[in-house]
Amino acid sequence: MITAEGVKHLAADEGFELCGVTPAGPPEGIEFFESWIEKGYAGSMGWLAKSVELRSTLESLLPGAKSVIACAAVYNQPNEPVPGQPRIAKYALGRDYHKVLKGRLHRMRRALAEQAQEAEWRVCVDSAPMLEREWAHRAGIGWFGKNTCLINSQRGSWFLLGFLLTTLDLDSDAAAEGGCGTCKACIEACPTGAIIQEDGAWQVDARRCISYLTIEHKGEIDAELQPLMGGWTFGCDVCQEVCPFNSARASQPLRAQGTSEPDFLKTRAWPNLEQLAQISHEDWDVLTQGSPVRRAGWDGIKRNAQINLANR
Ligand code: SF4
Ligand code: SF4
């Protein structure tokens, strides 16, 4: 018989540092998500608006889903800025995490399916329309920080999420509890003032967020925002770097722990900013194979490198 404990052992064997289970009831954050989009904070990420209805139930992903297994993989590693070199967010330094996490989750699915042949399963990593952070919160993985990242009180926020949906009814975990208290470090450190509070809720205006601007935004970036992007070429880690929950402490030995996944480590040698600003399509194509950085596109990465050069 499959138990939640058994699933967690399997997740740990696959290298997931955190795993929790929650019932697949309706998500509670759908109205907040919809209002965030209506305010325009999603920028040009039009696919998010189109996905609201799909995200309002897991039935669209797995008919008859009863449990959500949320897994988290730590990707923390040193990533000091190097003058003249592109600055890439930590999660994107290694191999495309979708592939890494999907590989782990599909191995779990196959092992579990052998034990419960009547059950249905679905692996979801980032691409499926679900409110991922809410499900992970409900499964006990972490609570929402003011920077809108999910924070685990013992481990911090340098982790990526992957999910297994199942028609099995598994024992569930309690939702994660915790909070930022009076801390405002991320709000004060955010280079573009993208973290805002409205109607008592902290949210990120993606249109000002360097992660969005360097990865999802196509075309010109507002002249007002360009100088604030500093050296960030792909993504931005500032609001996590300053978070006290990501700082090492003797009483919290797991907090700033590095990743144990070799595929997340920086292995690629990136060209310097001058080279990247004028990289040929052919060279970009070879350089970004299997890397999350590919998402910014050829035009995007050249644009970002040009802005970084102007900001030196
Ligand atoms: S990722 Fe960077 S720009 Fe975006 S909210 Fe965090 S600190 Fe601000
Ligand atoms: S930096 Fe402070 S306010 Fe921001 S998420 Fe971390 S604990 Fe919360």
Side-chain angles (χ1 to χ4, degrees):
M1 191 181 101
I2 294 176
T3 62
E5 276 315 299
V7 170
K8 288 174 193 172
H9 282 302
L10 211 49
D13 289 346
E14 280 297 335
F16 286 112
E17 282 83 357
L18 298 163
C19 177
V21 180
T22 189
E28 290 158 11
I30 203 74
E31 278 179 26
F32 179 80
F33 178 67
E34 202 167 6
S35 90
W36 177 78
I37 290 170
E38 280 167 3
K39 287 175 193 157
Y41 293 157
S44 61
M45 295 185 282
W47 70 89
L48 291 178
K50 287 185 193 143
S51 71
V52 172
E53 202 179 322
L54 287 173
R55 284 174 204 264
S56 64
T57 171
L58 293 175
E59 281 292 308
S60 57
L61 293 174
L62 183 69
K66 290 218 169 48
S67 305
V68 178
I69 300 162
C71 298
V74 168
Y75 63 89
N76 190 27
Q77 60 191 289
N79 189 24
E80 291 306 311
V82 179
Q85 289 296 310
R87 187 114 200 255
I88 293 165
K90 287 185 191 189
Y91 82 87
L93 289 172
R95 187 172 165 234
D96 188 342
Y97 66 91
H98 298 90
K99 292 179 181 147
V100 179
L101 297 197
K102 276 185 180 169
R104 292 182 182 187
L105 290 163
H106 278 297
R107 280 193 294 275
M108 284 174 65
R109 177 187 60 75
R110 284 195 292 272
L112 292 164
E114 277 179 19
Q115 299 171 50
Q117 289 173 0
E118 76 290 357
E120 300 288 334
W121 303 86
R122 168 110 189 224
V123 167
C124 302
V125 181
D126 217 8
S127 50
M130 59 189 288
L131 294 181
E132 296 194 314
R133 282 173 304 159
E134 175 174 337
W135 292 112
H137 168 241
R138 285 162 67 160
I141 300 292
W143 42 272
F144 288 91
K146 289 174 186 166
N147 60 6
T148 75
C149 291
L150 216 56
I151 297 176
N152 180 281
S153 297
Q154 278 77 47
R155 288 197 175 262
S157 65
W158 300 114
F159 54 78
L160 296 158
L161 296 171
F163 298 85
L164 252 184
L165 311 185
T166 177
T167 52
L168 285 182
D169 202 352
L170 297 169
D171 286 347
S172 55
D173 292 281
E177 286 186 12
C180 299
T182 55
C183 178
K184 286 194 168 180
C186 56
I187 297 136
E188 287 157 6
C190 175
T192 55
I195 306 171
I196 52 177
Q197 189 182 34
E198 269 188 21
D199 305 324
W202 290 96
Q203 43 207 300
V204 169
D205 181 351
R207 297 168 303 181
R208 296 189 69 82
C209 174
I210 296 167
S211 278
Y212 163 81
L213 293 169
T214 55
I215 302 170
E216 304 294 346
H217 181 76
K218 306 295 172 219
E220 281 287 297
I221 291 174
D222 274 359
E224 171 224 349
L225 294 171
Q226 290 187 22
L228 307 179
M229 287 167 52
W232 288 103
T233 317
F234 183 92
C236 167
D237 282 337
V238 172
C239 56
Q240 293 194 84
E241 281 171 347
V242 300
C243 181
F245 286 93
N246 285 329
S247 297
R249 271 195 206 162
S251 59
Q252 296 285 355
L254 297 176
R255 249 184 206 173
Q257 205 179 46
T259 178
S260 58
E261 171 57 68
D263 275 339
F264 290 161
L265 296 177
K266 182 181 177 186
T267 45
R268 215 166 287 246
W270 292 95
N272 65 32
L273 286 173
E274 274 96 357
Q275 293 163 331
L276 204 55
Q278 49 189 332
I279 192 168
S280 69
H281 188 273
E282 201 181 356
D283 288 347
W284 167 84
D285 189 39
V286 174
L287 178 72
T288 59
Q289 292 280 346
S291 161
V293 176
R294 197 169 176 85
R295 185 160 177 87
W298 175 51
D299 288 337
I301 211 71
K302 287 197 301 176
R303 171 202 63 195
N304 299 344
Q306 285 158 13
I307 294 171
N308 298 154
L309 286 169
N311 288 342
R312 283 202 295 194

